[in-house]
Amino acid sequence: MQLFGQILVNGILLGGLYGLMGLGMGLVWGVLKIVNLAHGALIMLGGYALYYLYTKAGIDPFLGLPLAMVAMFVLGYVLQTALLNLIVRSAQLNTLLLTFGLDVVFVYMAQLLFSADFRTINPPYAGKNVTISGVVVPYAQFGAFLVALVLAGLLFLVLDKTRTGRAIRATAQNLIAARLYGVNPKRIYAITFGTGAALAGAAGGLYGIVSQITPYIGVTLTAKSFVIAILGGLDKPLGVIGGGLVLGIAEAMAALYLDPTYTDIISFGLLVLVLVARPAQLLGRA
Amino acid sequence: MTEPLFEVRGLTKRFRGLTAVSNVTFRVAAREIVGLIGPNGAGKTTIISLISGTLVPTAGDIVFEGRHIERLPAYRRARLGIGRTFQVMKPFPGLSVLENVTVGALFGTGGGERNRTRAEERAREWLKFTGLERRMDQRADALGGPDRKRLEFAKALAMNPKLLLLDEVMAGLTHVEVDEVVELIKKIREKGVTILVIEHVMKAIRRLADRLLVLHHGQQIAEGRTDEVLRDPRVVEAYLGKRRQ
Amino acid sequence: MNRYRWLALPIAAAALAVVPWFTSDTIVQYGINALLVATLAQAWNIIGGFSGYPSFGNSVFYGLGTYGTAIAMAQLHWSFGSGLVFGAVLGVACALLFGIPILRLRGPYFAIATLGLAAVMSAITATVEIAGKNIGLILPLFRGDTLFYELSLILLVAATGTVAWIARSRFGAGLVAIREDEDAAQVMGINTTTYKVAALTVAALFSALAGGIHAYWITFIDPASAFDPSLNVRMVIMTLFGGPGTVLGPVLGALILSAVSEVLASQATGVASLFYGIVIVAAVLLMPKGLLDLVQGFRDSGWRYFVDNVRRYRI
Ligand SMILES: Nc1ncnc2c1ncn2[C@@H]1O[C@H](COP(=O)(O)OP(=O)(O)OP(=O)(O)O)[C@@H](O)[C@H]1O
Ligand SMILES: [Mg+2]
């Protein structure tokens, strides 16, 4: 029972992070109607940004996180303005292929610049933890979980309360109508993609604290983010966190009861299951 | 009435909470033109999608030539001889007009004409019939509005359907163009095709339809001979009261 | 002129066939790789170019072909021919097994599912005892680059011939209709499920055969190399670059880009892959219909061709 509690806690802590990954994916998908296959690569880049802020500039990872997010926002904003705005209206096949190409570019840039070695962001408190009635809660993991929740809450508030947030939601609903109300779609798209990249970056940074980063972590994370975004519902930040928790817990359980190599197989099974079961309903709503 | 070509009994479709089509029953005899009318959101397109197999009914039977088809996939129904057009037109955008129509001839009723050269010949005839011959080599996404409607028609006709389901093929056309399409539909009927036509253009429906079926909020509120139905006070209130043409 | 166009293909194939007798070993070895990857591109063209289903998981079929052949030869001591068949059977079985659920998905759903499949397949293989777990397998040694070269060429010609047939057949017209608008295709009488699964299966067959030939040639395989996800990158980009949905585009794209990347790869690892990524991005933006269309379009409208492409879909 205690073991079960431990697994549950592990799953929840990991799940919060997954939720954050799904958030950026879902936001971009919902507003721009682009499924960003480079999302995982953006997560990976965010991880490296935070890694170098910590190792080279000595900034505490949790304090460096906003900086990494700003850098990723700028990257996202520029990408959208320079490239993606050129093809947002084109066939879905083309947007998929373009973001796939970007993914490849980022992965191999990272390989050239940062090498293929495993990196971990290792602050002094990394190994420390607190034990609550027999269940171990590592500080770093718990911190990452809290940050994920805070960011999800912030996104929810921004979308709900600010002018830009409302413009983003209006654009997601109906681009033409939003235009009539004076929304500049190019700018809104760029801000949205920038925000998506910033969220991905944050997730990557936190991932670097609780796990390891290499240039190649992106692909599976893209797939997971996508499934989480579907599980949670594109337009509901808090729902997406819930989707992340589901996947996190499922993976933690699989890791306990099966050989660790099976966790990926379990997530893939879940992925196909979710995909096959949900799209019809989702498309009906879209 | 003679033996119906096809028949719908208790047809119902629910989308989550909303009942888009509720317990609709009607028959269509061979070579008849039946008009399906009703205000926006009445469930007209949904009925066509249920018959063509794009949507699966929540309840009810659809019988075509004496055979239950409500569980058949869309492509099987097309092979039995049911062709449709889409209100939101669905050309194959990257293909030429001729290629678009050739697809109809290659597949469609009875599996179509399996030889590509002969299918292309057949497609050319339908392009002539619909007046699209000059546009044959253009890409479908380069066509203007009226020509797109013609293409939608030609694609369905090339399938050689026994039953043709037309969803607002006249919306947005000028008076002259509407007259052309009315003549076209009459010509199609003369070829022995049965037609179920959704239309908001009253002038056209009056000239075309032998009988009318009126929907309102998914309910069937009237059915019968065109002139009688159009005089029915319930129809006038529900439909014409809101939308005069 | 046009009447004799069909002759170009046999002549080109014959010219390629005599290459080993006139060039060096290095070129022949490069040729084997280029021909096999061209086959993979051509196979991707069937599902991605004709049906419009962006598969990022065709490396799985290649990997299964590789492993099927390797298991048959190294573990069961079968002949190379039987090994190839066994690998092809595995690839085709996988296409049928996963194709039926996955091809029900459209657009991004399909793309992600294939991405996921490709990502976990090497993990799965690494747990299988008979596949040598994560250590891999060693096949019997056979020196004969010329034979492998000719085999690869035959496979590419067969794949291209199949695509040429598809392009003129009723089947191909159905695939293209599915690519252009699947709902419309279905109400016109096309059995979309069967068509898509058939397209994926044919693609899987050629991919698996390419994997089998490569396995015997290279003699050592492990999960990382057999299911190398960067293979997907190459298939997609080569097809896209040459011209998706055309008969010769993928072959041209593959032969040109293989040559370029061979040069780049001698500079630093990763540079070639980076180049591929850049080419995908540039191709989608500037020449979405590939090289063959570019040549035509450039002749008609010069540099405007690129400007028009960039302008077409921008917001
Ligand atoms: N796929 C769907 N999911 C959910 N609701 C739907 C779906 N398709 C249609 N509806 C709803 O069902 C109702 C009937 O729609 P339908 O398109 O059949 O109307 P219609 O009579 O064709 O209207 P119009 O004249 O505007 O074309 C509408 O309220 C519509 O919003
Ligand atoms: Mg309608």
Side-chain angles (χ1 to χ4, degrees), chain A residues 283-285, chain B residues 15-16 18-21 38-47 55 87 167-168 198 200 215 243:
Chain A
L283 292 179
R285 200 170 46 175
Chain B
F15 295 111
R16 305 235 172 88
L18 174 89
T19 307
V21 172
N40 291 103
K44 306 180 295 292
T45 299
T46 306
I47 287 193
L55 291 174
Q87 181 174 2
D167 197 348
E168 300 207 18
I198 297 181
H200 278 312
L215 284 183
R243 206 188 155 104

Side-chain angles (χ1 to χ4, degrees), chain A residues 68-156:
Chain A
M69 286 178 70
V70 170
M72 293 303 294
F73 179 89
V74 172
L75 175 66
Y77 195 99
V78 171
L79 275 179
Q80 181 69 34
T81 314
L83 291 178
L84 290 165
N85 271 343
L86 296 177
I87 56 141
V88 275
R89 290 193 304 117
S90 127
Q92 205 163 37
L93 184 65
N94 284 341
T95 61
L96 285 171
L97 292 171
L98 187 87
T99 55
F100 178 64
L102 286 175
D103 176 79
V104 175
V105 170
F106 290 146
V107 170
Y108 290 97
M109 291 259 256
Q111 186 193 305
L112 286 178
L113 296 174
F114 314 135
S115 91
D117 297 343
F118 286 90
R119 308 278 189 202
T120 301
I121 302 170
N122 229 337
Y125 46 82
K128 306 242 167 58
N129 52 49
V130 55
T131 308
I132 305 165
S133 57
V135 174
V136 181
V137 180
Y139 285 136
Q141 262 84 346
F142 189 63
F145 176 73
L146 282 186
V147 170
L149 285 195
V150 168
L151 286 174
L154 269 179
L155 180 68
F156 180 74

Side-chain angles (χ1 to χ4, degrees), chain B residues 52 54 74-75 78-79 82 84 86 90-95 100 103-104 106-108 111 113-114 116 139 155 159, chain C residues 166-174 176-181 183-192 195 289 313:
Chain B
S52 67
T54 311
Y75 80 92
R79 289 184 187 177
I82 300 178
R84 75 169 286 185
F86 287 92
K90 284 181 169 296
F92 301 122
L95 304 188
N100 261 273
V103 173
L106 273 173
F107 297 90
E113 165 60 66
R114 274 143 212 276
R116 254 177 105 153
R139 265 173 64 122
K155 277 168 66 187
M159 293 166 60
Chain C
I166 288 176
R168 317 166 131 260
S169 70
R170 179 169 176 265
F171 175 61
V176 168
I178 289 171
R179 175 187 75 202
E180 296 289 322
D181 191 318
D183 292 324
Q186 202 165 19
V187 300
M188 291 175 87
I190 296 169
N191 184 350
T192 49
Y195 271 49
K289 287 162 131 203
Y313 297 114

Side-chain angles (χ1 to χ4, degrees), chain B residues 14-36:
Chain B
R14 274 190 282 277
F15 295 111
R16 305 235 172 88
L18 174 89
T19 307
V21 172
S22 170
N23 200 17
V24 168
T25 299
F26 64 94
R27 295 167 151 216
V28 180
R31 309 192 59 159
E32 223 183 349
I33 298 184
V34 174
L36 186 53

